[in-house]
Each structure stands twice: as C-alpha cells, then as structure tokens.
Amino acid sequence: MKLYRVLLLIVFICATLFIGVVGNILANRNQNAYWFAEAQAWRSGGLNNDRLHVNMWGSAECTARARSTELEISFKIFGKPELNEFYEKIIYHGSGNLVRNFKSHYQDNSGEAHVTSTGIYQQVFVLQAVSTDRVGVMPPPPPPPDPIPPLPIEDCPCDTVGIESVNGLYTAKPGESHEACVMTDAPFYEILWYVAAPGETGLGTNIEVDTGDGTTTNASFSYTFPSGAMHIGTYKITAYIYRWNQSAYEESYTVDVALP
C-alpha cells in the first residue's frame, strides 16, 4: 500500500474517533466542507424509457481551500466484473474535479455508481464526501393492453398496406363527412390522425388517437368538413403511425372540398 494511503487511513481513523463518520451515502449529491461527491444511476430505452440501457455518471470535486485530496469514481455492473470501471485522481493542493460517464447497452444486470472525495481538513482531520446511486435490474416489458375485438371488415375495408378513402372518393362538399382507413405494415402501438386545412402547413390538427392491442394492423377515421363556402380547398388527412418497436412513419392523402 502506498505510504500516502497509509498515512491518510491513520489520520482518518483518528479523526473518526473525535468527529464521527461523515458523509451520507444515501444522497445523490453530498458536500463535506470543501469536498463534493455526486452519483447518478438510471436506465433508458424501451417504451417507458426505463429498460434497455444502464447509465451512470459520477462527479468528485474539491475547492481551492482543500488539501491532499483523493477523488475516486467507480462504476459496477453486478455479476459482470469485466464491465466495471474505476477512476482515481490525486490533488495535493487546490481545486480539482474528476467526472466520468458510463453506458452499457442491453445490460439487464443491476449496477452501482460510487463516488468519494477525501481530503485533510485544518491539517488534522480527514473529511470525506460520499455519494452512491444504484440502478436495478431491467424491468419486464410492459404488457400489451387487453385484446379488443378486431374491427369489422365493413368498418375498415383496407386490404393492402397504406391509406385510402373508404368510399373511393377524394372529393367532398363543405359539411360532408369523410371516412379514411389505413392498413399498417406491422401491428401498431398508436395511430394519431391529423387533418390539415387549406393553407395549413405541417400535419395540421390532431383529431383522434387509436390504440393498438399488439396484433391490430387496421384502423379507420371519420371527419366532417366544416360547412360554408369559406372552408373550400384542399384538406390533407394523415395517419401518424407508431409501431410496437417505437419506430414511426406516416401515411396521407388529400381531399378537395368544393361547392356543388
């Protein structure tokens, strides 16, 4: 063991007898005099953004008034010692910091981020700021909602992938109702239906949201065009589709609304 570490340990034991154990391992950020420690551990990815990836972050710091500081950050994946990472930095006088990030893709084990900032206070006592944060094992994927009966074929006549008008017409009069149907290329998680009025850019206004059951690939949408001559023009109907794997795409067509 290094002489520096031996002396530091002796002083720390003596200091503990007089001032007690310092630091709080339950806090994500901890300060003790001129020493700081902060640890973060979390998961990301998946439908609820809490599954696929292990993320960790650690920051150990000391201010300009600190003395003989040792900064340490460790990242552990329990059961996977080959993935563990450890960082150390010695600062003999003055301020400094040690900051590190960790990310493990598709790792279902739990883990821990542990940060310590240790130094000599008033040339006698050893003070230490400690922060620890843990991330749990990967939670199971959310179950699909309870199955619902499939839409009757007469309510959604689409028989090929894409979007189309139910009655085959792409013209209408003000005040008339119009029905669209879409067949997705895979079971959908959600479909957001939008209508863009004449002169409106982008997707337009969200009118309806349809939720899938893990198997459904068909959905229909009904919309009544505003009445009155001031509402004539070209309307765009869009189905913005989210698949169960979180990817998305859109299908759309236009309807020309004119006076008879």
Side-chain angles (χ1 to χ4, degrees), residues 116-237:
T116 61
S117 180
T118 307
I120 297 177
Y121 181 70
Q122 294 182 348
Q123 299 181 351
V124 177
F125 303 113
V126 171
L127 297 186
Q128 186 178 67
V130 182
S131 181
T132 300
D133 199 16
R134 289 192 174 187
V135 59
V137 297
M138 182 187 296
D146 293 335
I148 58 176
L151 293 171
I153 190 66
E154 61 270 16
D155 290 342
C156 188
C158 285
D159 55 5
T160 58
V161 173
I163 189 172
E164 62 184 68
S165 167
V166 169
N167 62 11
L169 298 177
Y170 295 88
T171 60
K173 302 180 183 68
E176 281 188 345
S177 293
H178 181 85
E179 190 171 7
C181 70
V182 66
M183 176 180 282
T184 58
D185 62 1
F188 65 86
Y189 177 70
E190 269 186 351
I191 297 179
L192 282 68
W193 291 95
Y194 291 87
V195 175
E200 190 174 5
T201 60
L203 295 173
T205 303
N206 179 220
I207 306 297
E208 180 179 305
V209 177
D210 293 338
T211 301
D213 61 2
T215 61
T216 303
T217 58
N218 283 351
S220 60
F221 168 69
S222 181
Y223 179 74
T224 301
F225 296 108
S227 58
M230 72 287 294
H231 296 296
I232 63 173
T234 301
Y235 289 74
K236 181 181 179 182
I237 297 175

Side-chain angles (χ1 to χ4, degrees), residues 43 52 54 77 80 83 104-109 138:
R43 283 191 175 276
L52 300 179
V54 171
I77 297 294
K80 297 280 187 178
L83 299 179
S104 177
H105 298 276
Y106 301 103
Q107 178 57 251
D108 56 3
N109 296 55
M138 182 187 296

Side-chain angles (χ1 to χ4, degrees), residues 11-66:
V11 176
F12 179 75
I13 294 173
C14 294
T16 302
L17 296 175
F18 293 96
I19 64 175
V21 176
V22 296
N24 177 11
I25 64 172
L26 299 179
N28 279 36
R29 181 169 175 84
N30 180 232
Q31 176 183 357
N32 200 343
Y34 314 130
W35 294 271
F36 303 82
E38 184 170 3
Q40 304 270 340
W42 70 97
R43 283 191 175 276
S44 63
L47 290 175
N48 293 337
N49 203 33
D50 64 351
R51 297 190 64 242
L52 300 179
H53 315 295
V54 171
N55 304 275
M56 298 186 199
W57 177 83
S59 174
E61 308 170 51
C62 63
T63 70
R65 301 182 66 181

